[in-house]
Amino acid sequence: MDHLILPRRHRHPVQKVALLSAEEYDGGDFLTYPERQGWGERTADEWFTMFRFPAEHRSFVAFLERWLLFGMMSAFCNFFQVEFKPSDFIGFKDGVHPIFTTHRFPNLLQQIMDRGPSMNLGLNAAAAALSSFYASCATHIRLTHPGDNDAHINDNSRQRRLHEFIDTFQNSIKNPRQRGITMATSIMMESVFESTSVILERLLNQHRLMEMPSFHDTNGLMERRLRQDGWCPSEISRLHGQFNTSCLYFIYQSPRQRPSEIHNDKSTQTSHLSTSASALCTPFVCANKQLSDTTYQTKHANDDCDCQDMVAANPDELCEILEQGKIPLILLMEENDSYPNIMFVGCDPKETDLQPYVAISHVWSDGLGNTKENSLPRCQLRRLSEFVKELPGQYSETLLFWCDTICVPTDMAAQSSKRMKNAQTMAMTLMRDVYAKAMTVLVLDSWLWNNSTEDKSDTEILMEIFTCPWNTRLWTYQEGALPESLHFQFSNQAYNLDAGMAEANKSTNAIEKLTLLARIHVRYQSLRGFREKQTAGQRLAVIANELGHRMTSVAADESLCLAVLLDLDVGKIVNTEDDLRIQELWRMMRTVPRHLVFTTLATLDVKGLCWAPKTFLKSPLNVSMHGNPTVEDWTSSGDFAAQTRYGIHLKEIGIRFQFGTGRFTSPFFLRDQDLRYYTISFGNDPGEKKPGQVGYDMSDHAGLFQSLAVILDCSSNDFVGDYSAGWTMTGTSDSYEFIAALVGIIKVDGGVIHCQRIQRCVVTRYSEDTSNGEIRHFRENVFPFEWRYGMSMSDRQLKHYAADGKILQEQYWYVG
């Protein structure tokens, strides 16, 4: 992969991607290429044999690699009317072995970006080229991100085209391609997708329309290489979710963060060495980051420091400042200062002319916290003071700083007296002002402050910042999102994030912009763009995506942090029992993203709040069917809905049908009054269904509902997906997929349907001339009679598999 951007000092040899064949792609239509190559229709059993035994079918694997890589590139170039020569991308190692080479890709990409879509390309030709490109991406994704849609298929004797077989049986086959060529295909797809987005932005004169998908394998080459280099599984899952394949390759080539930490997981255990579960790292948890009040140790500035001097806040003075509604600020400590207590200055956040101060943001696992009292070693306070004094420009003129370890009464103190409890509540209430009104926030992460920015590009520095452990903790998000200015401490300087991003954006390197900077910009906007959001609903849309990659040691802190970010009544949350805080938070919201109705996250089992996520954080509660963290992205949608005492109020298309007790099969078949056919597929909705179950069991809901319905998220048409499954494109013209929500209808009042959310699902609508064998079978054998609303079909085990339903156009709903 000759074109990829590498760190200044890369750790590994540059990846050479082997090809099984030097045969060139013929430049024709993507979907019919298998037939042109002699890989026409076969039975599922025949296709299974080739996928399961790739070593014995090298010619098929070579064809598959060529089809998905070069076929995709050909379709992309056809759309832009740019000549594509496969031979330009085929080289030879030692003059014999074919390899995939990309040294001419930057010129090709620059040519396309300068030119834009061809105006000479007819509408039909453009549609065909674009359809081929989407179909190639869809096929690659289905091989690298298995779905959950083939458990019902048992007809292995019917002849199928290759792309139909992959679409139908994607959860039962493994990707037979070499890992290197799979990675290369992902990198090329991501680059051309990003370039298309840039061109469309330019043509439409609009900013980013949507976050571009990542096409990397859920258990691909980069994830394996990072694990072999000692990276924590929880870090790898975060990087996988936030960065594209080019970024992962850059990270793999960079020094591993905190190399002294050991991250054991189940794969590293041996028969003679048993490790307790709490000491194992998982995709959700890093064992090194799990903190406990009873075992936490405050650290000195250096490991060899022998000072025993702890400088503490005077509890009465701290309480007095907070009782006045002021922010307690710490006076900088000079090298020869020996005063026994913290020197405080109270700052009134309501004043228009505030005293300038710096707020410190740190990772508690670095040892700058204290769970017992508001104190720090003198060496730490001196170092913090030096960091503040060495800030660039006007920032170094301040004499005051704020640090939570000193300025927020500890839980232990709050439990000891009512006064300290009230002071802690006031400190939490002031938290938003602390960061929003600081002159700047200085981030301290031990990985960064032990590394230099010298001789590094802004892109490399920004990659280090957005991959450091500071990004994994709950509280640090608000500390980076709220302030007007943000600095990160390195060994040689405090780096201004906003200025660095502006400088990086000046890059004229197309590859750098489309691979690394594209994702860095998304991460930057997710953090620093928060301040631009005006309503709580808009802020929540940004928070939901970002918090899905973060963790906390205290679950109840999530509601506090959300209340601070959303500018809600923090004191009310503080005074609510821990287990009820999230419910209280949701009831404070007046508008919420409408996509909550269709969320993949685990939701509350509380009347009126069955749509409300239990947590946004990286958690085993939010797990995909493949065991990976589930993260949602609503940032590209501006749709919000009002929350009322009846639930979320929205206007959507739905399909209503009758249902008794028992279990749904997956898929469940529907026919509407216009004789259109649908399937409802149920994935592994977190917390609502046991892994391995097929369909959905309605036994617990017996007698609660008049009938059932699926509400369709029409904005999801053509694209259906979440973090766990990547992006799934339909890739065919005879079906349309919709994210949907299964709901139980409680009553209809004034034409508005009152219902309770049950589970997220996917609804597929098929055209009359569909080639789907299962739909054709049900149309001819299960639905031969006239449509009749209320008709439901089940087998002897009360497994319901089909029903006649009624389409509801522009229906108003209250979803509780």
Side-chain angles (χ1 to χ4, degrees):
M1 301 298 290
D2 321 72
H3 74 285
L4 290 178
I5 307 294
L6 297 176
R8 180 172 53 97
R9 296 189 181 94
H10 59 88
R11 300 180 63 218
H12 304 284
V14 177
Q15 178 80 27
K16 297 293 183 183
V17 179
L19 295 169
L20 290 179
S21 168
E23 182 179 346
E24 295 185 20
Y25 185 79
D26 65 8
D29 174 63
F30 176 82
L31 288 178
T32 57
Y33 184 65
E35 283 76 13
R36 299 197 302 274
Q37 288 282 297
W39 301 102
E41 290 188 351
R42 284 167 168 75
T43 66
D45 288 333
E46 290 176 299
W47 287 124
F48 272 127
T49 299
M50 287 182 277
F51 275 85
R52 289 171 179 167
F53 305 102
E56 300 174 14
H57 298 87
R58 283 177 60 87
S59 61
F60 169 72
V61 177
F63 146 76
L64 191 65
E65 293 179 348
R66 181 170 62 251
W67 183 39
L68 296 182
L69 175 55
F70 292 103
M72 175 274 299
M73 296 178 67
S74 176
F76 175 70
C77 290
N78 285 343
F79 179 68
F80 289 99
Q81 289 277 277
V82 172
E83 183 182 11
F84 172 65
K85 295 180 180 179
S87 57
D88 289 345
F89 293 85
I90 299 175
F92 291 89
K93 182 180 179 181
D94 302 327
V96 178
H97 305 289
I99 59 172
F100 179 62
T101 177
T102 59
H103 66 278
R104 295 191 179 182
F105 182 58
N107 290 335
L108 176 67
L109 208 53
Q110 191 65 58
Q111 182 183 356
I112 289 173
M113 292 188 67
D114 290 342
R115 181 172 183 172
S118 173
M119 297 299 103
N120 298 321
L121 193 62
L123 184 61
N124 291 336
L130 199 58
S131 177
S132 288
F133 175 61
Y134 281 157
S136 67
C137 295
T139 306
H140 173 71
I141 288 172
R142 286 176 177 128
L143 285 177
T144 55
H145 299 81
D148 187 28
N149 68 339
D150 62 305
H152 63 286
I153 302 294
N154 54 24
D155 181 11
N156 289 5
S157 61
R158 186 169 69 82
Q159 296 273 323
R160 288 176 170 86
R161 297 177 68 190
L162 178 54
H163 76 87
E164 183 188 353
F165 167 79
I166 293 172
D167 183 25
T168 304
F169 292 97
Q170 60 178 298
N171 200 37
S172 299
I173 56 177
K174 290 186 177 181
N175 176 24
R177 294 171 293 169
Q178 302 172 93
R179 289 198 178 98
I181 205 70
T182 298
M183 181 188 77
T185 304
S186 295
I187 288 173
M188 302 305 285
M189 282 186 179
E190 290 163 356
S191 297
V192 299
F193 243 92
E194 189 63 45
S195 65
T196 304
S197 174
V198 171
I199 292 169
L200 289 176
E201 288 174 33
R202 192 169 63 214
L203 287 175
L204 300 175
N205 194 28
Q206 292 185 11
H207 292 295
R208 175 71 35 152
L209 302 177
M210 59 196 305
E211 182 173 343
M212 287 297 99
S214 295
F215 293 100
H216 44 60
D217 196 342
T218 53
N219 190 26
L221 181 62
M222 283 300 94
E223 286 78 358
R224 290 170 178 262
R225 293 278 178 84
L226 288 170
R227 189 68 191 100
Q228 289 168 0
D229 272 3
W231 286 76
C232 177
S234 69
E235 276 290 280
I236 294 172
S237 71
R238 177 178 73 89
L239 299 175
H240 182 282
Q242 292 187 321
F243 295 97
N244 59 24
T245 313
S246 298
C247 290
L248 292 181
Y249 187 72
F250 187 94
I251 295 166
Y252 165 67
Q253 292 285 8
S254 304
R256 177 195 150 200
Q257 299 180 1
R258 306 193 181 193
S260 61
E261 289 184 354
I262 298 175
H263 301 281
N264 289 314
D265 62 8
K266 289 182 178 180
S267 67
T268 61
Q269 286 184 293
T270 60
S271 57
H272 64 275
L273 181 62
S274 177
T275 307
S276 66
S278 61
L280 292 177
C281 296
T282 73
F284 299 93
V285 174
C286 174
N288 294 282
K289 305 294 190 299
Q290 294 307 292
L291 306 179
S292 167
D293 286 357
T294 56
T295 60
Y296 183 85
Q297 292 186 340
T298 303
K299 296 180 181 179
H300 289 262
N302 299 295
D303 292 338
D304 57 355
C305 178
D306 58 359
C307 80
Q308 304 296 317
D309 194 3
M310 296 291 288
V311 184
N314 182 306
D316 291 330
E317 185 181 5
L318 178 60
C319 284
E320 185 176 343
I321 292 173
L322 289 169
E323 287 165 353
Q324 295 172 12
K326 295 182 178 181
I327 299 172
L329 300 176
I330 306 165
L331 188 66
L332 293 182
M333 180 178 286
E334 300 297 335
E335 182 64 32
N336 58 352
D337 283 344
S338 58
Y339 44 80
N341 293 110
I342 298 291
M343 301 289 287
F344 278 125
V345 174
C347 170
D348 189 346
K350 298 184 182 65
E351 292 181 358
T352 55
D353 188 20
L354 284 177
Q355 292 176 295
Y357 66 93
V358 174
I360 302 296
S361 172
H362 62 100
V363 181
W364 270 58
S365 59
D366 284 337
L368 258 177
N370 191 332
T371 61
K372 298 178 176 64
E373 62 178 4
N374 297 109
S375 69
L376 280 172
R378 190 175 297 275
C379 60
Q380 286 283 25
L381 288 168
R382 284 173 176 163
R383 180 169 67 171
L384 291 176
S385 298
E386 286 301 311
F387 282 155
V388 172
K389 286 187 285 186
E390 291 174 2
L391 282 166
Q394 60 177 342
Y395 302 109
S396 63
E397 298 173 5
T398 180
L399 300 176
L400 303 168
F401 71 96
W402 182 97
C403 180
D404 59 352
T405 307
I406 300 296
C407 301
V408 179
T410 66
D411 287 342
M412 188 175 294
Q415 293 167 6
S416 64
S417 77
K418 185 176 181 179
R419 189 187 187 197
M420 291 300 286
K421 173 65 176 176
N422 291 337
Q424 185 191 58
T425 299
M426 178 55 69
M428 299 302 300
T429 302
L430 290 169
M431 194 72 75
R432 184 181 181 86
D433 284 336
V434 166
Y435 294 107
K437 298 188 177 182
M439 191 179 193
T440 189
V441 166
L442 178 62
V443 174
L444 304 181
D445 180 289
S446 62
W447 163 250
L448 297 181
W449 83 55
N450 284 307
N451 283 277
S452 172
T453 61
E454 191 174 353
D455 297 330
K456 293 178 182 176
S457 67
D458 286 292
T459 299
E460 184 169 355
I461 296 169
L462 290 167
M463 281 294 292
E464 289 184 352
I465 286 175
F466 285 111
T467 58
C468 77
W470 179 85
N471 296 277
T472 67
R473 308 309 298 173
L474 167 65
W475 283 104
T476 58
Y477 179 70
Q478 66 168 10
E479 296 159 12
L482 294 175
E484 191 169 323
S485 170
L486 186 62
H487 286 77
F488 285 78
Q489 185 67 51
F490 285 81
S491 63
N492 62 321
Q493 69 160 322
Y495 183 83
N496 186 316
L497 180 67
D498 301 323
M501 190 71 239
E503 195 64 31
N505 284 335
K506 297 177 183 178
S507 173
T508 58
N509 185 323
I511 295 298
E512 183 179 35
K513 292 171 72 174
L514 296 175
T515 55
L516 304 183
L517 283 175
R519 277 308 161 106
I520 289 173
H521 181 75
V522 171
R523 300 271 56 82
Y524 174 81
Q525 281 298 118
S526 182
L527 181 68
R528 301 297 289 149
F530 178 84
R531 298 174 75 246
E532 302 170 6
K533 308 304 177 184
Q534 300 300 315
T535 69
Q538 291 173 335
R539 294 170 189 152
L540 185 63
V542 176
I543 293 168
N545 175 257
E546 185 63 32
L547 261 56
H549 302 287
R550 294 174 180 261
M551 299 169 284
T552 181
S553 299
V554 183
D557 280 358
E558 181 179 4
S559 300
L560 286 173
C561 187
L562 286 170
V564 172
L565 286 163
L566 300 175
D567 202 12
L568 300 175
D569 187 344
V570 178
K572 195 170 184 180
I573 298 294
V574 171
N575 294 318
T576 300
E577 292 181 31
D578 288 359
D579 293 343
L580 300 178
R581 282 181 174 180
I582 194 67
Q583 295 181 37
E584 187 62 44
L585 180 99
W586 283 118
R587 292 192 175 101
M588 291 181 182
M589 299 286 293
R590 291 293 172 260
T591 61
V592 296
R594 58 176 288 281
H595 285 292
L596 279 172
V597 172
F598 311 101
T599 183
T600 61
L601 305 177
T603 55
L604 296 171
D605 186 16
V606 176
K607 185 178 180 180
L609 293 175
C610 291
W611 48 267
K614 295 177 180 178
T615 177
F616 289 113
L617 294 171
K618 180 189 284 189
S619 163
L621 289 173
N622 298 327
V623 58
S624 74
M625 60 173 291
H626 302 291
N628 298 315
T630 297
V631 180
E632 296 198 336
D633 182 10
W634 307 325
T635 52
S636 59
S637 171
D639 296 335
F640 298 91
Q643 186 198 172
T644 73
R645 61 193 178 103
Y646 302 116
I648 296 180
H649 188 212
L650 68 164
K651 181 182 179 182
E652 297 287 350
I653 295 172
I655 308 173
R656 183 175 183 176
F657 58 98
Q658 296 290 340
F659 187 87
T661 59
R663 178 184 296 280
F664 279 101
T665 60
S666 185
F668 181 82
F669 295 85
L670 278 177
R671 179 177 62 171
D672 70 16
Q673 67 268 37
D674 297 321
L675 304 186
R676 286 176 295 210
Y677 294 86
Y678 308 80
T679 59
I680 306 175
S681 300
F682 300 94
N684 193 26
D685 222 6
E688 297 184 356
K689 187 175 154 203
K690 296 178 181 178
Q693 287 185 354
V694 177
Y696 190 83
D697 193 347
M698 288 294 298
S699 301
D700 294 339
H701 304 284
L704 295 179
F705 308 125
Q706 292 180 4
S707 57
L708 300 179
V710 283
I711 303 175
L712 306 184
D713 177 10
C714 295
S715 67
S716 68
N717 182 251
D718 293 330
F719 293 87
V720 176
D722 56 28
Y723 164 72
S724 65
W727 283 50
T728 305
M729 288 166 252
T730 56
T732 60
S733 60
D734 66 351
S735 64
Y736 298 88
E737 290 182 340
F738 301 86
I739 295 173
L742 175 68
V743 298
I745 295 177
I746 300 170
K747 66 177 181 178
V748 181
D749 187 1
V752 180
I753 294 179
H754 294 242
C755 61
Q756 177 180 311
R757 182 188 184 273
I758 298 174
Q759 187 190 352
R760 179 186 185 270
C761 56
V762 173
V763 172
T764 306
R765 189 185 74 191
Y766 294 89
S767 63
E768 292 184 5
D769 58 347
T770 179
S771 60
N772 185 286
E774 295 293 304
I775 291 295
R776 290 164 61 185
H777 168 76
F778 268 77
R779 187 167 59 197
E780 295 166 5
N781 299 288
V782 179
F783 290 119
F785 45 82
E786 291 185 0
W787 175 87
R788 188 171 79 241
Y789 177 73
M791 176 65 69
S792 176
M793 285 146 276
S794 61
D795 59 21
R796 293 179 179 177
Q797 285 77 41
L798 288 181
K799 290 182 180 179
H800 296 255
Y801 56 83
D804 275 338
K806 183 184 296 184
I807 193 80
L808 304 173
Q809 300 282 358
E810 298 185 345
Q811 175 64 49
Y812 284 97
W813 310 79
Y814 281 121
V815 184

